Structures are given as structure tokens and as C-alpha cells.
Amino acid sequence: FSNSLIKNIKLTKCILSRYEVSIIHTHFVGTNHLLAIKIGCFGISKKVSIVEHYHNHYTYNNSIIKKTCKKYIMKNDYIIGCGPGVAKSLKNGGLKNEIVCIDNAIDFSRFKIEFNNKKSKNFLMFGADFYRKGGDIALKAFEKVCKVYPEVKLQICVSVGMDAIYGEVLSQLKYFPEWVELLKPTDNIAEYYNNALAFVSPSREEGLCYALIEAAYCDCFVIASDISGQNELMIPDIIWTEPESCNDLYHKVISLLEMSEEDKKKKIKALKVQAEKNYSLGRWVKEMEQFYCDRGLI
């Protein structure tokens, strides 16, 4: 898709006709792209069913006109929320559609655990969307942590906009500290998890945070803000922090660093078992197939 509504409509019509499409299943599609899909479906002889798969909370429009238009565009679509919090936000949006929740899953075969450097004091987080991921909260908390444990590092993996994140760190702290390390994107994310003691996610908003599940599977401790999109995860041994609280994150990190080695091993093992049991790809596939079958789509 491009930024041109006309081009997107033509492209949709072309694909629908050429491949005799009967189902369009969308992910991360905005209203403008959904509008192009809907208009593109007009005049197609074959009935096309549309499944909208939401991975972030439903956003509300203050404008009555925009709100009404959005509901009309989504009319008759099947809607899936990737987690309980996302599904709830869709229902709270007053949509007339059927809304179901199918928890997302992870393809664990992607993660080759070749080594575990759990004696490190590296704390990993993702930070390309700096404010939403709570990058400022993490910086302030770890600035205090590193005064107690100077060997601690906060590793921020940045998928895009490395220079911008460097600027954010300077803006928040007024200097770029030795304890912050910006990591480039990688095809082997397990390497980053394996080299970290814990994954931290002081996020302000999440749909369903894959990284928490991935980290738990890769033998990382998980420290996360107690928000929707994270606190619904069926991984009881996650360490929860108060949202927006640098101080609480600081105390949880210190508590982890002071935990006995025996307790660390028990909790790491429990995290992996919980992640694998509740978020395997096989479970997700069965639920998705059942969703299609129950509605006569396949």
C-alpha cells in the first residue's frame, strides 16, 4: 500500500480478482487502508469476508463524525483482539461487531539458546518507540541503580532511529552514560536475551507484549509495568512494577540483584515453563482454525 487511496483501491481490486480472494485477514491496518480495502471489495462478484486482527488497544475518536465513520467502515467485519486488554478496549469502543480474544503466541523454534550469560548484570529493553516503551522511566531508575551497582548495564535494542534514541538519552540525562548501551537490530534476538540477566518493560501501552514471553522462554527474568497488555499474561513469575514509577522499578531491580542464586534458578525455570505452556504456536493455530470453522469461513 502507498499513501494514495486511489492507488490502494486499484491494487486491492487487482489482487482480489487475480487470486480469487475470499478472506482478507488484516494486521496493524489503519482506518485509511481499511477504507481502501472496503471500497476495493465493491463490484467483486465473489463475497469477501474481512477479519481485523488488533495488536494494540482500540483508539477512540473524540469527533462524533469520525467515530461514526470508523464504525461504519468496520461494519460486518470479524474482529480479533490479540489479548484480553485489547479485546476489552474494542468492546468498550461500542462496536457492534462480534469481538473475540485469541491470545497471541510465539514460534519458540526461532530461539537458539546456545549459551547463557546469566552471571552478567545486563538489563535489556526495546526502545525504538521511546516514550511508549517507558525509556525515560528506565533511564531514571537505572541511573540510581548504577550508583549502587556500577557494573550494571541498561541495553536498549533499537530497531529504527538510532540517532533519535541517542538524542533522547542525552535529553533525559544531560549526558550519555557508560551504563547505557544501544544495540542494533538483529535477526538473532536470542543472542541479546541470552546475554541479559533480565528484560525490562516499563511500558505505558502494549497490545500483547511478545518480548516478555520471548524473554521468559530464553531464561531471562522479566520486570514489567502493571498495565493492560502485559498484566494479562499467564506468566505468574513476572516481576511487576507500578506504572510510571521510576522509584518502584529501581527497587525491583535492586531486589533482583540481591536475590540468592538458588532462588534465581527456581524462578528462571518457572518462567520458561509458563511461557512454553501457555504461548506455543500450536495452541494459537488450533484456536485460529476453530475461529474460521465456527464462522463458516473455511
Side-chain angles (χ1 to χ4, degrees):
F1 274 171
S2 66
N3 293 323
S4 166
L5 179 63
I6 301 299
K7 287 182 179 178
N8 292 340
I9 292 169
K10 288 180 178 178
L11 177 61
T12 302
K13 282 188 175 295
C14 175
I15 292 171
L16 293 177
S17 299
R18 182 181 296 175
Y19 299 104
E20 298 183 356
V21 172
S22 58
I23 300 169
I24 299 174
H25 191 128
T26 70
H27 298 269
F28 298 103
V29 169
T31 305
N32 288 342
H33 288 159
L34 187 61
L35 178 61
I37 291 169
K38 286 300 181 76
I39 297 174
C41 288
F42 285 136
I44 301 295
S45 57
K46 189 172 186 177
K47 183 188 174 184
V48 179
S49 299
I50 297 175
V51 180
E52 296 182 43
H53 207 133
Y54 276 78
H55 297 266
N56 290 100
H57 289 74
Y58 182 69
T59 52
Y60 311 100
N61 295 109
N62 293 325
S63 165
I64 296 295
I65 295 173
K66 286 184 178 179
K67 194 181 291 185
T68 304
C69 289
K70 194 169 183 180
K71 287 181 181 179
Y72 184 77
I73 292 169
M74 297 170 70
K75 189 179 178 182
N76 299 325
D77 292 355
Y78 300 97
I79 297 183
I80 300 173
C82 72
V86 173
K88 184 179 179 181
S89 75
L90 288 158
K91 290 171 184 174
N92 290 343
L95 301 171
K96 303 299 181 184
N97 311 60
E98 178 195 14
I99 298 165
V100 302
C101 171
I102 298 178
D103 280 328
N104 271 358
I106 304 292
D107 178 9
F108 293 118
S109 67
R110 292 168 50 230
F111 302 106
K112 295 178 181 177
I113 304 174
E114 296 170 352
F115 68 94
N116 283 302
N117 187 16
K118 295 309 172 190
K119 291 185 179 179
S120 77
K121 288 186 171 62
N122 297 333
F123 287 76
L124 175 68
M125 71 174 291
F126 295 157
D129 193 343
F130 195 76
Y131 182 79
R132 188 170 73 88
K133 294 292 185 183
D136 54 327
I137 299 168
L139 288 174
K140 290 169 186 173
F142 276 88
E143 187 175 35
K144 290 174 65 179
V145 169
C146 290
K147 289 176 181 177
V148 183
Y149 288 93
E151 65 273 34
V152 163
K153 274 194 180 295
L154 177 63
Q155 298 179 318
I156 307 174
C157 182
V158 183
S159 56
V160 291
M162 182 72 76
D163 290 343
I165 302 305
Y166 185 89
E168 289 282 2
V169 175
L170 287 178
S171 175
Q172 292 291 328
L173 300 176
K174 310 307 178 190
Y175 69 103
F176 198 94
E178 291 182 0
W179 48 266
V180 170
E181 184 180 0
L182 300 184
L183 303 178
K184 295 178 181 179
T186 175
D187 290 331
N188 183 20
I189 194 64
E191 183 180 352
Y192 287 168
Y193 288 129
N194 292 340
N195 199 40
L197 172 65
F199 183 86
V200 291
S201 179
S203 293
R204 292 180 166 90
E205 193 276 331
E206 293 286 350
L208 184 142
C209 191
Y210 290 106
L212 303 189
I213 306 166
E214 294 174 352
Y217 178 81
C218 291
D219 298 333
C220 276
F221 284 95
V222 179
I223 304 175
S225 52
D226 190 2
I227 61 167
S228 178
Q230 297 194 143
N231 58 18
E232 299 97 349
L233 289 178
M234 293 178 284
I235 304 180
D237 283 281
I238 288 174
I239 301 167
W240 298 109
T241 67
E242 296 171 16
E244 301 276 353
S245 176
C246 307
N247 196 46
D248 194 45
L249 177 57
Y250 161 76
H251 285 296
K252 295 297 168 57
V253 170
I254 293 293
S255 296
L256 173 56
L257 289 167
E258 293 176 350
M259 189 183 294
S260 71
E261 290 304 315
E262 187 177 345
D263 284 345
K264 282 180 182 176
K265 286 178 183 178
K266 287 179 183 177
K267 289 188 179 294
I268 283 287
K269 186 177 180 180
L271 282 163
K272 181 161 188 167
V273 169
Q274 293 157 8
E276 202 166 11
K277 177 183 176 183
N278 296 313
Y279 294 98
S280 69
L281 199 59
R283 185 270 307 161
W284 183 86
V285 169
K286 288 177 183 176
E287 289 186 23
M288 287 303 307
E289 287 179 339
Q290 194 61 51
F291 173 87
Y292 272 67
C293 289
D294 291 346
R295 286 149 191 84
L297 298 175
I298 57 173

